[in-house]
Amino acid sequence: MSNETKNEVISKDLMTIPNAISFVRILLITPFVAFFIAAKYITGNYIPAIIIIALSGISDLFDGMIARKFHQESELGKVLDPLADKLTLIAVGICLIFIEPYVLPLMIIMVLKDILMIIGGTIIINKGVIPPKSSWYGKASTFMFYISVAMVVLMEIFNFHNETISLAVLGVTAGMMIFSLVNYAIIFFKIQKQIKTKEESTSTVQASITNKQ
């Protein structure tokens, strides 16, 4: 493949609506954090931060639909979309810790989950296997995280603090994250087993050919 052809492929990969949405979501993280910190320590107005994170969440729902409907799925998009998710969730989680310190355990679970998934994905990719797409339980855990975010922020806005409600919602969110991680772990080990079986089969065939020679 010539350099011009490669550049054309990369250009087409970049110039898609879903990828543009993912880029915008990453860019929205900075103003979200700025407005959140300003609300916490200066203005007391969380509305701008809520609007930004709401736009990010809504756009996350649509970029996958657009990619599938208009056949704009790309290798870059498979990296950008989850990257935008993770960076947004981490930024939101860190901000929430300043409001409710007991969000910290949830953040620890989320970070550990993501680290383990990155390690697992890297191992699979190194074996020449493309990691599976996000499943419903992955999306569900992300959705529950956003619900937790909305609840904590709204409780702060209306100066209503109820640890029982907060811990219940955060507990359900943590449970969904653990459930998601367990299911991804099951998929990972199944893929590992398939790779091992394939490698053993290949070794057997090669040994058989060598013996015949």
Side-chain angles (χ1 to χ4, degrees):
M1 186 183 289
S2 66
N3 288 333
E4 287 186 10
T5 306
K6 286 182 180 179
N7 291 336
E8 186 177 348
V9 171
I10 293 172
S11 179
K12 287 181 179 179
D13 201 36
L14 284 169
M15 295 171 61
T16 64
I17 295 174
N19 288 350
I21 292 174
S22 295
F23 277 122
V24 170
R25 289 178 60 217
I26 292 172
L27 293 175
L28 284 175
I29 293 172
T30 300
F32 164 76
V33 172
F35 280 120
F36 193 96
I37 293 173
K40 174 65 179 175
Y41 296 105
I42 303 173
T43 65
N45 182 12
Y46 287 93
I47 300 301
I50 292 174
I51 291 173
I52 289 174
I53 204 63
L55 288 173
S56 178
I58 292 170
S59 63
D60 183 32
L61 296 175
F62 283 102
D63 65 350
M65 294 170 55
I66 292 170
R68 289 187 294 272
K69 185 175 179 62
F70 296 100
H71 307 290
Q72 292 188 341
E73 295 173 315
S74 65
E75 294 304 314
L76 178 61
K78 292 176 183 177
V79 175
L80 272 181
D81 183 44
L83 178 63
D85 285 341
K86 304 309 178 190
L87 291 177
T88 301
L89 291 177
I90 290 171
V92 171
I94 292 173
C95 287
L96 286 183
I97 291 172
F98 287 96
I99 294 179
E100 298 292 357
Y102 50 77
V103 173
L104 181 59
L106 183 64
M107 279 298 300
I108 293 172
I109 292 172
M110 185 181 75
V111 170
L112 286 175
K113 166 180 168 285
D114 290 340
I115 289 173
L116 290 172
M117 288 183 65
I118 290 170
I119 293 171
T122 302
I123 292 171
I124 291 173
I125 290 171
N126 287 336
K127 293 286 186 178
V129 178
I130 299 174
K133 295 180 180 180
S134 298
S135 299
W136 67 268
Y137 35 81
K139 293 291 185 182
S141 64
T142 301
F143 176 76
M144 279 305 303
F145 185 85
Y146 278 116
I147 292 294
S148 300
V149 169
M151 180 206 69
V152 172
V153 174
L154 287 173
M155 288 175 70
E156 180 70 15
I157 290 173
F158 293 103
N159 198 26
F160 173 78
H161 298 281
N162 188 310
E163 287 193 8
T164 302
I165 296 174
S166 298
L167 290 173
V169 174
L170 293 172
V172 171
T173 304
M176 280 302 305
M177 286 183 175
I178 294 170
F179 176 75
S180 173
L181 178 60
V182 169
N183 278 277
Y184 280 125
I186 292 171
I187 293 172
F188 170 78
F189 287 117
K190 281 183 178 179
I191 293 174
Q192 283 287 84
K193 187 176 180 180
Q194 290 171 358
I195 292 171
K196 186 177 180 181
T197 302
K198 187 177 179 180
E199 288 176 347
E200 289 175 350
S201 176
T202 303
S203 298
T204 302
V205 172
Q206 288 176 346
S208 176
I209 293 172
T210 302
N211 290 333
K212 286 181 180 179
Q213 290 177 343

